[in-house]
Amino acid sequence: MSLPEYTNPIPTMSNVSDYRIGTLLIEMGKISVDDAQRIVHMHKEKGLRFGDAAKRLGLITEEDIQEVLSKQFNYPYVLEEHLFSDELVAAYQPFSPQVEVLRRVRSKLMLGWFKEKHKAAAITSIESGSGNSRLAANLAVVFAQLGEKTLLIDANLRKPTQHQIFNLGNDRGLSDMLIGRAGIEAITHIIPFDKLSVLSAGTLPPNPQEIVSGARFRELVDFLRSVYDVVLIDTPAHSVGADAQNIAAAAGGAILVARKHKTRASEMTEAAEQLAVDQTSVIGTLLIDF
């Protein structure tokens, strides 16, 4: 194999994966061809993997390795600071213990709710400030990283936050689509996540509960289910009105988020019973500790 863009090819390596990492590091401008030759020499002399040899020589950092691995395995994440909110840990710190927990949640959902051919899930909490919006945003990222075509809808038409988390405008969104002021163009594709899109809340209406309880909202969710593999819907808290119950009914299922040392078990039970009235499945409950 050769690298036509360079005058000197990388010397032959014993491991195809090492060759690919070396090629990507050169293409990304992390190392030069001369650097690659030095790395290969240490790689052979010390028996180190290519990346470890490059780090030993001080030519790259662990962040460089993670970046190149993300490209090699088509696993996008964000290196540029302040592109999104710091709350989006799945984008900035995809290899952290916190995000490993998110991936476990994703696995349970993929093997349970979504395996049963469901496409949508509402993510809701008992009281405001319990972290369901942050959870929804990060779950959307990890689903997209898995290769699932994912849409995150901000259906909190009272105090929306997804446009802030993803650094988006909020002049056109869900509410505008529901009253015919906007179409599918209100959905924003999130770069660099090829499989992730966000529909922000849009113009805040004076009657949010009525907006999300009407037939148009259910019809829109049904349509979006046909377009995306996974549709996650962020809702207001149950304590502020019946919005969450109506949104969850349109989705068909809800994930209940509780905050440690704050949410009462009796409140979770009551919320589950309210959801059952509309034949909405409680997909699971998550305890947030922060």
Side-chain angles (χ1 to χ4, degrees):
M1 289 183 280
S2 62
L3 293 171
E5 296 179 13
Y6 305 97
T7 56
N8 298 312
I10 297 177
T12 301
M13 299 183 206
S14 58
N15 188 300
V16 174
S17 176
D18 281 337
Y19 177 87
R20 181 61 178 153
I21 288 175
T23 302
L24 285 171
L25 285 169
I26 290 177
E27 291 175 348
M28 293 162 62
K30 301 292 184 182
I31 61 174
S32 67
V33 173
D34 287 341
D35 290 335
Q37 292 173 334
R38 292 173 58 201
I39 295 166
V40 169
H41 179 74
M42 177 171 281
H43 160 75
K44 292 179 177 179
E45 184 180 74
K46 304 291 187 181
L48 299 172
R49 292 183 300 179
F50 188 87
D52 292 335
K55 285 196 295 182
R56 178 80 65 88
L57 290 168
L59 297 170
I60 62 172
T61 65
E62 179 60 30
E63 282 190 356
D64 294 326
I65 287 290
Q66 298 298 343
E67 183 181 359
V68 77
L69 286 174
S70 74
K71 289 183 179 294
Q72 188 177 32
F73 289 94
N74 193 28
Y75 188 80
Y77 71 101
V78 178
L79 290 171
E80 183 181 347
E81 293 184 2
H82 310 304
L83 184 61
F84 305 122
S85 165
D86 292 342
E87 292 182 290
L88 208 60
V89 292
Y92 288 110
Q93 304 170 43
F95 312 106
S96 65
Q98 189 175 0
V99 180
E100 283 297 331
V101 173
L102 287 168
R103 281 194 279 268
R104 287 200 291 272
V105 172
R106 179 190 66 190
S107 295
K108 289 183 178 295
L109 290 171
M110 290 298 294
L111 294 172
W113 181 249
F114 293 113
K115 185 180 180 181
E116 298 299 321
K117 301 189 183 301
H118 298 291
K119 291 290 194 77
I123 300 178
T124 185
S125 62
I126 306 303
E127 63 281 304
S128 300
S130 293
N132 64 294
S133 295
R134 180 167 58 181
L135 173 67
N138 282 284
L139 272 180
V141 171
V142 297
F143 271 109
Q145 289 170 331
L146 185 64
E148 298 293 319
K149 188 177 181 183
T150 304
L151 174 65
L152 173 62
I153 301 174
D154 193 342
N156 187 340
L157 302 185
R158 298 173 185 266
K159 291 184 178 180
T161 58
Q162 296 302 337
H163 66 288
Q164 296 171 340
I165 293 175
F166 287 93
N167 196 21
L168 303 173
N170 197 38
D171 55 336
R172 288 290 186 272
L174 172 63
S175 63
D176 304 282
M177 290 183 72
L178 292 174
I179 64 172
R181 290 181 55 195
I184 201 77
E185 74 280 355
I187 297 174
T188 302
H189 174 233
I190 304 299
I191 298 173
F193 302 102
D194 292 339
K195 299 292 186 177
L196 178 60
S197 297
V198 173
L199 175 58
S200 59
T203 306
L204 298 188
N207 57 337
Q209 184 175 320
E210 287 77 15
I211 290 288
V212 296
S213 63
R216 287 181 67 90
F217 180 70
R218 288 175 178 263
E219 290 167 0
L220 178 60
V221 172
D222 286 342
F223 167 72
L224 294 171
R225 263 193 279 242
S226 71
V227 177
Y228 293 89
D229 300 321
V230 173
V231 178
L232 300 177
I233 310 176
D234 183 15
T235 84
H238 278 261
S239 62
V240 302
D243 309 34
Q245 189 173 345
N246 294 323
I247 294 164
I255 298 168
L256 289 176
V257 178
R259 187 171 175 183
K260 191 174 182 180
H261 302 313
K262 183 175 181 181
T263 307
R264 298 176 184 274
S266 59
E267 294 172 328
M268 294 291 283
T269 301
E270 182 180 351
E273 290 172 350
Q274 290 174 351
L275 291 169
V277 170
D278 294 320
Q279 297 184 323
T280 303
S281 299
V282 177
I283 301 167
T285 59
L286 289 173
L287 183 65
I288 302 290
D289 182 11
F290 66 92

